[in-house]
Amino acid sequence: MCSDITTIPNLGPATAAEFAKAGITTAEEIRALGAKEAYRRLLAAGTRPHFIGYYVLVMGLQGRPWNDCKGAEKATLRKEFDAIKAESFDAGRSELEEFMNRIGLVKPG
């Protein structure tokens, strides 16, 4: 049986809509992918990176409230988030170039 994404603690309809844009429509898919890969897919689908969104996802997959993330654990998750963000975005590319890349347009060679 497939569960709605909103059955994962801390994830609501807006997050479920973002996951749907990434082709992820069930809680089971998110659990199978894990937080890091699921978040990578969100970014690849155009979701703007936001640290709180990442650690809310991590906490939810652990069945914990979002505000349970503190101290050293939060610092570790920040490093993970920064690494995922760095993999997903080219700092030298403008927002327009990033958008064009996402929709499949390339610069003329």
Side-chain angles (χ1 to χ4, degrees):
M1 185 169 119
C2 293
S3 304
D4 190 272
I5 288 171
T6 60
T7 62
I8 296 173
N10 311 322
L11 303 186
T15 304
E18 290 297 314
F19 273 113
K21 290 177 190 174
I24 301 168
T25 58
T26 69
E28 289 78 13
E29 289 174 286
I30 294 173
R31 288 186 182 101
L33 290 168
K36 289 180 187 178
E37 183 58 27
Y39 200 77
R40 278 186 191 99
R41 293 189 186 191
L42 282 178
L43 297 183
T47 297
R48 294 182 65 75
H50 197 282
F51 176 54
I52 294 171
Y54 178 65
Y55 78 71
V56 162
L57 174 61
V58 172
M59 295 293 104
L61 287 174
Q62 294 175 7
R64 296 165 58 193
W66 68 270
N67 58 356
D68 198 33
C69 186
K70 297 178 176 128
E73 180 180 34
K74 193 171 191 176
T76 297
L77 290 177
R78 181 64 197 214
K79 288 178 185 176
E80 288 178 10
F81 168 79
D82 288 343
I84 294 166
K85 182 179 169 187
E87 293 168 3
S88 301
F89 289 91
D90 181 351
R93 195 173 359 188
S94 72
E95 285 188 42
L96 176 60
E97 288 174 303
E98 181 64 35
F99 172 75
M100 291 173 59
N101 187 52
R102 277 198 316 267
I103 63 171
L105 297 176
V106 295
K107 288 183 184 179

